[in-house]
Amino acid sequence: MNRIVYVNGEYLPEENAKISVFDRGFLFADGVYEVAAILQGQLIDNEQHMNRLRRSLKELNMPSPADDATIEAIQKELIRINHVDEGVVYLQVTRGAADRDFAFPENSAPSLVLFTQAKDIINLPAARTGITIVTTEDIRWGRRDIKTVALLAASMAKMFAIRSGADDAWLVDRNGYITEGCSSNAYIVTQDGTIITRQLSNEILHGITRNAVLQLADKEGLRFVEQPFTVEDACQAQEAFVTAAGIFVLPVITINNKVLGNGTPGPISTRLRSIYIDMALKQV
Ligand code: PDD
């Protein structure tokens, strides 16, 4: 692959891009990231992603490597030189390189890395078939609202799903309530057509797609509530879906092998995916 990536001021072929072994992102997962969707070569909801990046940096008292306009210019340049029509752009900021010490360094220069990943989002095959979900314990730390690169617990949950023969995992807190998916926000639709998704707190990532989808649901006159729901509620649901930047809205067809509705993507999930895509295409 001859992809060009961005590392600390340079555009380089990916095999030549290097980060210090002392980078705190590598040693302490002391870094934050964002993933924004690209449709027709244009960024979707990027201002919201930048706002969340600023919030993540502030919560961790991490210096910023560049202002929003500079970062956006890099995102656009990578999309252009890599000819990405549809996919995502990943960006990561770490506290930079410093001799290993648990205390934050006084004057480290933050690292900035960006790369693109081309992939189908609108014609994602899983959007037609729906995905299967298994639930597993949420063993992540207590600040899931900060989008840090400490993703091992999420990665282990994903592997649990794959080994269980499912597509993805939903995470369950110690009270038996679902927090979110391992890389998405989670929703169920009750038998009477009410959408339920967990309320915003430090327990979940404040998804940019979640925010947009709830606004669209409101405009459509769909009923939704933001409150905890249990694994049992999920298994009794009429339909379910997940949202994230690289997938938009994806219908869920089974949870822990319990078939939801008639086992195909439900009407509300399908409708929300369609109006979300319409909204996103208006930005390009
Ligand atoms: N993940 N919850 C978690 C734990 C996530 O990792 C993500 C996104 C979301 C959805 O957020 P948004 O709608 O802003 O993408 C919710 C990204 C896509 C990733 O890690 O690849």
Side-chain angles (χ1 to χ4, degrees), residues 19-261:
I19 280 281
S20 165
V21 294
F22 294 105
D23 191 278
R24 289 182 57 92
F26 179 57
L27 296 178
F28 290 99
D30 190 0
V32 298
Y33 74 107
E34 281 297 328
V35 176
I38 304 161
L39 285 187
Q40 296 178 14
Q42 306 290 321
L43 291 159
I44 305 302
D45 278 349
N46 200 45
E47 193 181 330
Q48 286 86 328
H49 286 286
M50 295 311 260
N51 292 343
R52 187 172 62 190
L53 173 70
R54 296 292 156 205
R55 179 177 181 278
S56 294
L57 291 171
K58 186 163 162 279
E59 291 298 310
L60 296 174
N61 202 13
M62 192 180 294
S64 170
D67 61 23
D68 287 2
T70 305
I71 294 178
E72 187 162 308
I74 299 165
Q75 291 173 310
K76 289 182 173 165
E77 180 62 2
L78 283 180
I79 292 169
R80 191 188 68 77
I81 51 187
N82 290 301
H83 311 289
V84 184
D85 181 54
E86 199 164 308
V88 296
V89 58
Y90 176 94
L91 84 87
Q92 174 168 328
V93 178
T94 74
R95 209 179 300 273
D99 199 21
R100 186 175 183 275
D101 188 341
F102 281 74
F104 294 168
E106 291 286 328
N107 294 312
S108 64
S111 288
L112 177 61
V113 169
L114 288 93
F115 56 82
T116 53
Q117 291 179 299
K119 68 168 208 164
D120 282 343
I121 303 180
I122 292 183
N123 292 319
L124 209 58
R128 275 191 303 279
T129 57
I131 59 168
T132 58
I133 294 291
V134 286
T135 59
T136 186
E137 192 187 347
D138 193 340
I139 60 166
R140 299 173 301 164
W141 76 326
R143 290 302 307 273
R144 302 157 192 161
D145 56 311
I146 307 173
K147 199 163 173 61
T148 79
V149 297
L151 294 175
L152 186 56
S155 189
M156 287 167 70
K158 180 76 178 185
M159 286 315 298
F160 171 76
I162 291 169
R163 290 199 188 103
S164 308
D167 295 310
D168 215 342
W170 280 7
L171 308 173
V172 184
D173 69 17
R174 61 169 68 108
N175 299 314
Y177 292 97
I178 287 163
T179 50
E180 59 187 330
C182 55
S183 61
S184 59
N185 289 115
Y187 309 73
I188 59 170
V189 182
T190 62
Q191 298 294 335
D192 74 354
T194 305
I195 300 163
I196 307 180
T197 193
R198 189 155 174 135
Q199 73 280 11
L200 297 181
S201 70
N202 292 352
E203 309 294 315
I204 65 166
L205 185 74
H206 302 187
I208 305 304
T209 322
R210 176 188 184 280
N211 187 45
V213 162
L214 291 183
Q215 278 183 29
L216 291 169
D218 202 31
K219 266 201 213 141
E220 283 284 292
L222 297 170
R223 269 191 316 279
F224 69 85
V225 288
E226 296 172 76
Q227 65 182 41
F229 58 94
T230 63
V231 175
E232 180 58 22
D233 294 333
C235 291
Q236 298 303 319
Q238 181 61 26
E239 44 180 304
F241 60 95
V242 293
T243 64
I247 53 173
F248 294 168
V249 178
L250 269 193
V252 169
I253 51 168
T254 70
I255 297 177
N256 292 344
N257 293 319
K258 169 75 173 49
V259 175
L260 307 185

